[in-house]
Each structure stands twice: as C-alpha cells, then as structure tokens.
Amino acid sequence: MNYLIEILGPLLAGTAVTLQVFLLTLLLAAPLGLALALLRVSHFRVASGIVNGYIWLMRGTPLMLQMLFIYFALPFVPLIGVRLPDFPAAIVAFVLNYAAYFAEIFRAGIQSIERGQYEAARVLGLGYGQTMRRIVLPQVIKRILPPMSNETITLVKDTSLIYVLAMNDLLRAARGIVQRDFTTMPFVVAAAFYLIMTLVLTWGFNYLERRHAVYDE
Amino acid sequence: MRFMTSDAAGEVPVILARDICKRFAALQVLKSVSLSIDKGDVVAVIGPSGSGKSTLLRCLNHLETVDSGEVVIEGETLVSTDVAGVCHYAAEAELRRICRKMGMVFQQFNLFPHLSVLQNIIEAPITVKGLSRAEAVPQAEELLRKVGLLDKRDSYPARLSGGQKQRVAIARALAMQPDIMLFDEPTSALDPELTGEVLRSMRQLADERMTMLVVTHEMAFAREVSTRVVFMDDGEIVETGSPDEVFVCPQHPRTRAFLEHML
C-alpha cells in the first residue's frame, strides 16, 4: 500500500502530461477538422482537392513518423523550417493528424443530411452560411457523436506515442518505474488510469447523445 | 413594378413562364412549357407521374436551373434567354430576393428536425428578415392558430403526424409573408385519412386570395378549390382551363385518358 502511494506521484504527473496533450489536441483539431470538412464539401475544386490530398497524407503515414518529422526534420526544411520544443512539436503533430480524421467524420456527417433540408432552407431565403450554421451543422453534431466518441477515446491512448520525444506521459512514467523496481504494479495502475479517463469520456458522450436525442422520438 | 400601363389584362402576371426547357441527361423533362398566373389564381397542376409537374414548379423558384426559357415573377426577371439561346440568371442576391416572394411546401415536409415547431417557423423571419424574437413569436403563434396547431408549438417534428407536419410546413412558409405559395404534391406522402386537414388549410389560404400553384393528385381539391387546372403530360402542358372545362369536358384525348384512370 505504501508502495502504491509512492508511485502515485510520478504516475499522476504523467497523467497530467497525457491530459494536456489530449485536451489541447481535441480543442484545436476539432475546429480545424470542421474547417477542412467544409472546404472538402465546398464547390471550390482546388481547395477540395488539396484537402483530399492532405487527408490522404495524414491518414496514410504513422502519427509517430509525423511527430518525429516535425521535431527532427522540420528545422531543416527550407523557408518554413522552425525548431519546435518537444511539447509544441507533439501538439502540432497530433492536431494535424487528428484534424484529418475529424474532417472525414464531419464530412460524412454533413453529407448525410438530406437534400430536402438544404432546399427548405433555401426557399426560406437562408444563404449557404446560414444554412450550414443554423440548419445543417446542428444536425450533423448529433449524427457524428458516436464516431467522435470512438476517435476521442483512441486519442487518449494515442497520447502515449509522445514517449518518442522523451516526454513523460503516463505510460512512460509507468515504464520508468517498472524498469527501476522490477515490478509490474505501475502498469496495472496506469491501465486503471487510462480506463478511468475513457470511462469519463464515455459518460460524457453518452450524456451528449441523450441530450441530442430529445428531438427524435 | 406596378407602373406598367394597364392594358386589357390589367396587372402584370404574378408568375410568367415562357418556353421553359429542362433536361436531365438524356431525358427532356420540360418541352417548352409556358404558363401565366395572375394574382389570386389558384392553379392546380395535374398529370401522370414523371410528366414534369414538380420540375416545372422547381424551375420557378430556382431549385432547378432551366436550360432555356424565361421566368418573370411579379414583373422581375429571374431568368431570360437571349436570341443565341444562352440562359441568363439574375445575380445571386437578386435571385434570392425574387425567390423569397414564393413560399414552398414540399411533399416530404422537410421540417427542421432539431428545431421545435415554433423554432421552425421563426427561424427564417429572424435569420433572413432580421425580425426580433419578440416580433417573430406572436406572428408564428398566429399562424399556428390558423393551421390549428398552437398546442404543438413546443413539440419537435418527430412527434407530429404527417398531416400536422405538413400544416407546420405551411405555417413556416407563410411566416415569410410570400406573395405566392408553391405546393409540390403536399398530400402525396400522407395517409389518406390525414390529407383532409392539410387540404382544409390550403382551402382556407385560397379563400384568402393567396396566389397558389399546386401540383397535386387530389382531383377533388383541384376541381373544387382551383380557379384553373393545368394538365401536363410528357413534359408539355396538354390542356388548361377552368376546373369544369378540364374535368367535365376535357378536349384532349390524353387528358380524357388520364382523368378516366384517376376518377
């Protein structure tokens, strides 16, 4: 029991790092994903094509590779080359990567809204922006909650990838103690922490789904 | 646009469509259709499925673009075609302004499912016309009272029957105070016992001298409420006349065949 309390400190510190990466990524990637999705479904062929290529690139290469690239290779890229410290580098990689996945979820949601909704909005005189903001997107949110919940839970666990930049997230903290003390106890505690985080998320999404269910039956 | 010299016909037609042609890929849906509707007219468009009735309606308020022809709404040109056969639509802002003169009711209702009945009705007056909530709500309640659904103001559309949904859709269209109402098969998606309540609201509207263009399979409604009946078949207007002319002594064999089949 004493041992448990002793390892709790470093594990909680690791959890704080994990949560920071998670929350920042979610807050930044969701709006970026929405913007990408709106470009993707727009009639601007060029923008739509570029977004398509971007999504292919981001989904087609490992997140870890993207993170390593931004941290180690970006400084040597001409013109845009900057050297980012480890935490910002990780956030940039996560946001760029997750925005691509979110964009696809938003796109599917937007395209699932019936044509009649657009037509009804149009004959009432709403413009494209008004139709999106007032009619389409509020309905999209309800429909994308289940896939968003999936993706968000994946994100919690993906944060463990930041160990490659030598950052002490929950999993790396646990592994450090395991290697030091030759006990697997920290792994069990870490697993419990991940489960608690995903449980809170699951509850949160269930609550949102219930709240959005008021208008269908 | 009321300053045209008054000729024999008096005012400008509310809707003037000339030589409308429209094709979907290889299918010629409208073959040079012309139609003129005066203020207060209630025009029923009847005809077999696929005859182009709905497409004609949708060309009038720009839900479909025409391939050629002319549409003039209350003297304002929505689209015209020059001598070379090139189609010219009005600028986007102008298009929206002209189309706002026309309310539309759809076969599938197309209510906004995430908004309550009241919110469905006040959405456009607030967002498009810039009305305050305090102005929009009493007006919406008045319209709901008119279609007999004031008690449903806070319900969501999913809780309503088809007939109730369609009456809300009518109220929603009326909230924008259109000069013309277009109805695209408003009762076709309804169970037979629910069509009556919708038709009653439409009849009430006709009694108030609203200009209406109604695509319908309800022959009784066409016969009793409309001032004029248009029979379409295969992308053309085959016959047009008063309800008595068309229903009692149809001139064209295709009209006769259709009516025999329907009645």
Side-chain angles (χ1 to χ4, degrees):
Chain A
M1 193 63 200
N2 277 341
Y3 179 69
L4 204 60
I5 292 165
E6 185 195 317
I7 64 169
L8 221 48
L11 289 181
L12 280 173
T15 305
V17 175
T18 292
L19 281 175
Q20 278 174 37
V21 175
F22 168 75
L23 287 173
L24 274 172
T25 302
L26 193 59
L27 285 176
L28 297 173
L32 179 59
L34 176 59
L36 290 171
L38 288 172
L39 282 175
R40 176 92 158 73
V41 299
S42 75
H43 295 293
F44 306 113
R45 288 274 171 76
V46 180
S48 177
I50 291 172
V51 171
N52 233 351
Y54 173 83
I55 290 171
W56 174 61
L57 180 71
M58 284 298 152
R59 295 200 306 180
T61 54
L63 174 54
M64 194 189 285
L65 174 64
Q66 293 161 15
M67 208 159 33
L68 290 170
F69 182 88
I70 285 169
Y71 188 67
F72 290 111
L74 199 60
F76 304 106
V77 174
L79 298 175
I80 54 164
V82 280
R83 175 174 294 282
L84 291 173
D86 53 4
F87 189 75
I91 295 297
V92 168
F94 268 84
V95 168
L96 293 181
N97 181 280
Y98 267 80
Y101 284 94
F102 287 158
E104 279 299 279
I105 293 175
F106 280 120
R107 179 188 62 82
I110 291 170
Q111 290 179 339
S112 76
I113 301 297
E114 301 74 17
R115 192 190 158 87
Q117 294 288 305
Y118 292 91
E119 291 187 347
R122 178 139 154 220
V123 298
L124 288 168
L126 276 74
Y128 183 76
Q130 291 170 329
T131 303
M132 278 295 168
R133 212 166 49 245
R134 309 279 310 169
I135 307 300
V136 176
L137 292 180
Q139 295 183 60
V140 165
I141 288 173
K142 176 194 158 77
R143 295 190 191 185
I144 65 171
L145 281 174
M148 280 302 272
S149 156
N150 246 340
E151 207 55 40
T152 311
I153 287 172
T154 304
L155 172 60
V156 173
K157 295 168 295 172
D158 270 1
T159 53
S160 60
L161 289 174
I162 59 172
Y163 83 89
V164 295
L165 301 187
M167 288 162 69
N168 276 315
D169 73 304
L170 173 57
L171 185 58
R172 190 164 185 264
R175 204 173 50 151
I177 306 170
V178 167
Q179 285 166 348
R180 187 191 64 197
D181 300 345
F182 296 107
T183 160
T184 51
M185 187 58 155
F187 280 154
V188 177
V189 178
F193 279 16
Y194 280 114
L195 282 170
I196 291 167
M197 286 189 271
T198 51
L199 185 64
V200 170
L201 276 177
T202 307
W203 281 340
F205 274 99
N206 284 347
Y207 168 76
L208 287 176
E209 278 185 42
R210 268 202 312 280
R211 224 188 57 181
H212 279 85
V214 289
Y215 62 77
D216 54 12
E217 289 315 295
Chain B
M1 296 299 281
R2 291 261 176 257
F3 45 77
M4 283 180 79
T5 50
S6 57
D7 51 21
E11 284 182 284
V12 198
V14 175
I15 295 178
L16 183 65
R18 242 197 303 256
D19 303 325
I20 304 292
C21 293
K22 171 73 183 173
R23 60 164 61 239
F24 291 121
L27 184 69
Q28 185 82 39
V29 193
L30 295 175
K31 301 169 181 167
S32 194
V33 172
S34 298
L35 186 67
S36 167
I37 297 175
D38 292 323
K39 193 168 165 46
D41 274 355
V42 177
V43 178
V45 185
I46 61 170
S49 303
S51 56
K53 311 181 295 290
S54 291
T55 307
L56 173 62
L57 207 65
R58 294 165 58 86
C59 283
L60 297 178
N61 68 351
H62 195 45
L63 284 180
E64 305 285 353
T65 51
V66 303
D67 296 333
S68 66
E70 190 182 5
V71 176
V72 183
I73 307 297
E74 297 186 325
E76 297 189 280
T77 304
L78 189 78
V79 57
S80 59
T81 302
D82 62 23
V83 282
V86 182
C87 219
H88 300 281
Y89 269 94
E92 183 60 31
E94 190 77 347
L95 271 181
R96 279 176 62 189
R97 192 180 54 75
I98 296 173
C99 287
R100 229 182 289 160
K101 296 164 184 276
M102 292 172 277
M104 186 165 188
V105 173
F106 299 87
Q107 181 178 353
Q108 297 298 337
F109 328 123
N110 295 343
L111 292 180
F112 305 130
H114 62 302
L115 301 179
S116 72
V117 164
L118 184 78
Q119 288 167 331
N120 260 278
I121 298 176
I122 62 176
E123 176 61 40
I126 290 176
T127 317
V128 179
K129 274 190 166 175
L131 256 58
S132 72
R133 229 189 117 82
E135 293 168 309
V137 169
Q139 187 208 336
E141 286 173 338
E142 185 50 42
L143 287 167
L144 278 174
R145 190 173 299 122
K146 201 164 136 182
V147 297
L149 288 173
L150 189 55
D151 57 324
K152 299 285 182 193
R153 57 166 268 172
D154 296 316
S155 301
Y156 284 95
R159 296 251 176 220
L160 304 180
S161 73
Q164 291 170 333
K165 282 183 196 167
Q166 198 59 299
R167 286 187 283 157
V168 172
I170 292 172
R172 181 176 70 174
L174 290 174
M176 289 301 280
Q177 297 170 320
D179 295 340
I180 306 154
M181 283 286 281
L182 307 176
F183 292 85
D184 188 4
E185 304 200 20
T187 57
S188 298
L190 299 177
D191 293 335
E193 74 268 23
L194 298 177
T195 57
E197 55 188 85
V198 173
L199 294 176
R200 257 196 307 283
S201 290
M202 291 169 63
R203 185 190 291 259
Q204 194 185 344
L205 212 51
D207 291 342
E208 293 167 12
R209 304 278 293 147
M210 171 64 83
T211 308
M212 293 161 68
L213 185 55
V214 186
V215 171
T216 186
H217 291 292
E218 292 288 335
M219 292 305 133
F221 177 82
R223 191 163 179 172
E224 288 159 28
V225 181
S226 68
T227 55
R228 197 144 58 93
V229 177
V230 171
F231 173 68
M232 280 186 79
D233 189 19
D234 198 22
E236 296 170 309
I237 292 182
V238 176
E239 186 164 349
T240 171
S242 72
D244 278 347
E245 285 167 351
V246 175
F247 285 104
V248 180
C249 40
Q251 298 301 302
H252 201 281
R254 278 198 279 178
T255 318
R256 278 200 291 272
F258 173 74
L259 289 175
E260 268 166 33
H261 186 72
M262 287 300 288
L263 297 174

